[in-house]
Amino acid sequence: MAYHSGYGAHGSKHRARAAPDPPPLFDDTSGAYSSQPGGYPAPGADVAFSVNHLLGDPVASVAMAYGSSIASHGKDMVHKELHRFVSMNKLKYFFAVDTAYVAKKLGLLVFPYTHQNWEVQPSRDVPVPPRQDLNAPDLYIPTMAFITYVLLAGMALGIQKRFSPEVLGLCASTALVWVVMEVLALLLGAYLATVRSDLSIFHLLAYSGYKYVGMILSVLTGLLFGSDGYYVALAWTSSSLMYFILQLCPFFQVRSLRTAALGPDNMGGPAPRQRLQLYLTLGAAAFQPLIIYWLTFHLVR
């Protein structure tokens, strides 16, 4: 019995040693993560592997270089086409303002009758930026005034229970289209009247965009004091804008046109070309109150 029990024990040990371990289903890759506790990969290991793999592949390197050259070429083309239509240096000039200039220019737009010197500071190479010359035109005030007008129109429509995104979008697009049409009309009139001026489209946009300041004041006064206050503010801001344009804008200076028209060679009477310029000037100034009224009367009830 002892023999059999010993034999059985010996046989079971032999069988236990003889049975091989089953092969693993996956290879052990834990060595790659041994540097980090918890079996996590080292930071940047996969990224470094991918970059090294791409850099080592000549086809991938050529593709990356070709893609970079295409992107650079496209960027240069976009900048070139943009500079063909819009001069960024000129555009930056019209936004070179500061807080003091904005405050004084707003006061000049509302109370232009007390201003004495309307001459723009002369410059030889680079024009004087607006922050150094109160009489210089800018695009900052028209841009901010346009945005403020759209927000104020939304508030006025909301007070009257007539607000909707479609109505607000129509109000903003109408105000923008009117300014564009006004500038195009001025350019066409200047071409037909053969007016020679150094003013660019940016100058005309600036002078045409100053009407938004009067529009804001008219709508605010109408919301606070009703229709009577609206019409009083409309009359004041319109007359102020007309006086401002006739005094400041070189394209609209009635005195300069009248002086040129009544020269010694004109026999005491204005020539037809100068007379046409004078009519264009007065018409452009007189058109401002109509635009202000058309864009604001429906906001006050």
Side-chain angles (χ1 to χ4, degrees):
M1 296 296 295
Y3 174 77
H4 287 286
S5 61
Y7 176 77
H10 179 75
S12 62
K13 293 179 180 180
H14 178 73
R15 286 194 301 270
R17 289 193 301 269
D21 294 334
L25 296 177
F26 302 98
D27 294 334
D28 186 9
T29 58
S30 60
Y33 306 98
S34 59
S35 59
Q36 293 291 323
Y40 293 99
D46 296 338
V47 178
F49 172 76
S50 301
V51 173
N52 293 332
H53 178 70
L54 290 176
L55 294 179
D57 189 356
V59 178
S61 300
V62 173
M64 291 178 62
Y66 184 68
S68 300
S69 63
I70 291 179
S72 178
H73 182 65
K75 182 179 179 181
D76 295 338
M77 289 184 61
V78 169
H79 282 285
K80 183 179 179 180
E81 294 297 326
L82 183 63
H83 283 286
R84 285 180 56 187
F85 299 98
V86 179
S87 177
M88 300 306 296
N89 293 329
K90 292 183 179 180
L91 189 60
K92 290 179 181 179
Y93 161 80
F94 289 94
F95 287 90
V97 300
D98 54 11
T99 306
Y101 168 84
V102 173
K104 293 180 180 179
K105 195 58 170 286
L106 291 177
L108 180 61
L109 290 171
V110 180
F111 303 100
Y113 307 105
T114 59
H115 193 63
Q116 300 296 330
N117 183 17
W118 292 96
E119 298 294 333
V120 179
Q121 296 183 10
S123 59
R124 295 182 179 178
D125 299 329
V126 181
V128 180
R131 62 173 175 266
Q132 299 178 6
D133 185 6
L134 183 61
N135 295 327
D138 71 282
L139 286 174
Y140 177 81
I141 292 179
T143 302
M144 293 296 104
F146 173 76
I147 297 174
T148 306
Y149 163 74
V150 174
L151 297 178
L152 184 62
M155 186 184 70
L157 294 173
I159 293 175
Q160 301 171 14
K161 307 299 182 182
R162 297 189 294 123
F163 175 81
S164 66
E166 293 79 10
V167 175
L168 184 61
L170 180 62
C171 182
S173 59
T174 302
L176 188 61
V177 167
W178 269 110
V179 171
V180 174
M181 291 178 59
E182 181 182 357
V183 171
L184 293 178
L186 290 175
L187 292 176
L188 179 60
Y191 174 77
L192 296 177
T194 62
V195 176
R196 298 179 180 178
S197 177
D198 295 333
L199 297 182
S200 64
I201 297 180
F202 295 143
H203 289 85
L204 297 179
L205 284 175
Y207 290 118
S208 300
Y210 285 136
K211 67 171 60 68
Y212 292 124
V213 177
M215 293 164 57
I216 293 171
L217 293 178
S218 300
V219 174
L220 279 177
T221 307
L223 293 177
L224 294 176
F225 303 102
S227 59
D228 295 336
Y230 164 76
Y231 286 109
V232 172
L234 177 64
W236 178 267
T237 55
S238 299
S239 60
S240 299
L241 181 62
M242 292 175 59
Y243 185 83
F244 172 84
I245 290 179
L246 292 175
Q247 294 293 330
L248 187 57
C249 181
F251 183 75
F252 295 145
Q253 285 182 353
V254 179
R255 293 174 302 176
S256 299
L257 291 175
R258 185 179 298 132
T259 302
L262 299 177
D265 298 334
N266 292 329
M267 303 294 293
R273 181 177 300 177
Q274 280 77 15
R275 187 185 297 113
L276 184 60
Q277 296 179 18
L278 183 61
Y279 291 159
L280 177 64
T281 298
L282 295 177
F287 197 59
Q288 303 302 313
L290 299 178
I291 300 179
I292 296 177
Y293 173 76
W294 180 257
L295 295 176
T296 56
F297 80 98
H298 64 282
L299 300 176
V300 179
R301 290 184 178 180

